[in-house]
Amino acid sequence: MIKVRALTHMLVGVVLATTGLAGADEVRDQQWHLRFLDIPSAHKISDGSGVTVAVIDSGVDLHPDLAGNVLPGTEIAANGSDGRSDLTGHGTGMAGIIAAHGQGATGILGIAPKAKILPIAVDLNNDLIGQESVAKGINWARMHGAKVINISGDGNPAPDLRAAVEAAIAADIVVVAAAGNRPSSQVGFPAAYPGVVAVGATDRDGDLAATSVTGDGLVIAAPGIDIMTTRPHGRYGPGTGTSDAAAIVSGAVALVRSRFPELSAVEVVRRLTATATDKGAPGRDDQYGFGVLNLVAALTADLPPPTQATPSQSAAAPAGPDGDGSAIGIVALVVVGVVIAGFVLHVRARRHRAARGPVP
């Protein structure tokens, strides 16, 4: 079963929102992550046009700052609505972070304001059907045009969930998921599955947020503290945790896919990881993954051709039946590369000796 623990941190934001804490005329200034990511520069390059992001969550309310950006979706394991309602506010918050366009210079501005949101409402709070509904949601997104899937929650591994993730990745979809929040001690699922972009959270200084889990499945980090966003009924409120960070990365993926429509999902992820700002130990580490999201660099960098074992490719290695498999996949590809290189050198040496003839 899957229990989506990352939802709990958003409850404070929902309570604040329903008290009318912030209005449209003041929330834009509270979106500190827009300045951190230099969103004005990023939006001169890409706005997310032509990309559909599936939000598998509690549904998405038709907030004014999202008007026109929320497609008819679905509701899994419930009454069959089109996903455009939200009882908890969590899905509406994630959708706003990804694709809100605000109201002129006011309201919430999303990372990809011209992307479309495909809302898929699932029962995240019921342990008995949560795993099944999330897996069905992933499959539904795959069959209805999503190029990005955002799952701002984490839980336990499950065969159906893994199969759905693998099918989405095989269909050239970028799957982004929250790594999880403390007190959890390891990256949760589906984030821990190979090929999923597992997102950790940073604070306003770009340092690891105290709420973020760490582990060998982490791929990238993004802002995740006091992220102001949309709430149901036209309201606003902040949230903290890897849920918000995952939504930011999903928005970033939408910008990259819009800017480079010819790139495969693997190459889109490579752009994010290769241009991330390195933090912590050099290279990939358990606190920041490959680094902190550098959005403008991801949209502008001139990257060399991919090698046999780029981070995104190695993350696509098959997982074990219940484990995450990310680190195993990376190590396996490295070992295979070394073996192949050794074999090639051995063959070349034998050919060279044969050309020279026998040694006198």
Side-chain angles (χ1 to χ4, degrees):
M1 66 187 69
I2 177 169
K3 179 180 181 181
V4 183
R5 295 180 292 259
L7 291 178
T8 57
H9 79 279
M10 297 297 296
L11 295 179
V12 173
V14 173
V15 172
L16 292 174
T18 56
T19 63
L21 174 70
D25 58 345
E26 59 183 282
V27 295
R28 186 72 58 87
D29 288 341
Q30 297 181 50
Q31 289 190 277
W32 66 268
H33 65 281
L34 301 183
R35 297 182 292 275
F36 181 90
L37 296 168
D38 194 7
I39 288 297
S41 295
H43 284 175
K44 292 177 182 178
I45 305 166
S46 179
D47 56 16
S49 298
V51 178
T52 297
V53 182
V55 175
I56 299 178
D57 213 293
S58 58
V60 176
D61 186 72
L62 296 179
H63 193 285
D65 291 1
L66 285 161
N69 280 5
V70 184
L71 302 171
T74 190
E75 186 170 359
I76 305 293
N79 60 16
S81 77
D82 68 1
R84 292 185 292 185
S85 62
D86 184 5
L87 295 178
T88 73
H90 191 269
T92 303
M94 300 306 101
I97 292 170
I98 296 167
H101 50 61
Q103 302 169 50
T106 64
I108 293 299
L109 181 63
I111 303 298
K114 291 194 176 180
K116 300 298 184 182
I117 296 294
L118 187 66
I120 301 175
V122 297
D123 189 344
L124 297 173
N125 295 314
N126 188 331
D127 285 354
L128 297 177
I129 65 172
Q131 163 254 339
E132 179 183 359
S133 62
V134 172
K136 287 182 177 179
I138 294 171
N139 289 330
W140 198 91
R142 173 173 53 82
M143 294 184 289
H144 288 81
K147 299 300 290 182
V148 188
I149 295 176
N150 182 84
I151 306 171
S152 285
D154 77 294
N156 300 317
D160 288 349
L161 183 64
R162 188 182 75 166
V165 166
E166 290 175 349
I169 292 171
D172 198 43
I173 298 171
V174 179
V175 181
V176 180
N181 297 329
R182 295 189 181 281
S184 296
S185 58
Q186 60 187 11
V187 176
F189 293 85
Y193 285 126
V196 177
V197 182
V199 184
T202 65
D203 61 19
R204 292 172 182 258
D205 296 321
D207 297 325
L208 183 70
T211 188
S212 183
V213 302
T214 59
D216 62 4
L218 201 65
V219 173
I220 199 167
I225 298 293
D226 298 327
I227 306 299
M228 184 62 71
T229 187
T230 48
R231 300 295 180 198
H233 311 300
R235 297 180 181 271
Y236 305 92
T240 288
T242 59
S243 284
D244 306 82
I248 286 174
V249 171
S250 288
V253 172
L255 292 186
V256 173
R257 299 216 85 161
S258 180
R259 172 74 173 83
F260 302 103
E262 76 283 359
L263 290 185
S264 68
V266 166
E267 280 301 291
V268 169
V269 176
R270 176 175 174 252
R271 276 206 156 261
L272 297 181
T273 57
T275 59
T277 302
D278 196 16
K279 293 277 288 188
R284 205 216 73 83
D285 61 69
D286 288 354
Q287 286 71 47
Y288 300 92
F290 290 96
V292 179
L293 175 67
N294 186 332
L295 185 48
V296 174
L299 294 170
T300 60
D302 185 14
L303 297 183
T307 60
Q308 183 80 15
T310 60
S312 52
Q313 288 172 321
S314 61
D322 295 306
D324 78 40
S326 299
I328 295 173
I330 293 172
V331 172
L333 277 177
V334 171
V335 170
V336 169
V338 171
V339 170
I340 291 173
F343 176 75
V344 170
L345 289 175
H346 174 68
V347 170
R348 287 180 177 175
R350 290 189 62 182
R351 288 177 178 173
H352 180 66
R353 288 195 298 269
R356 290 176 54 193
V359 177

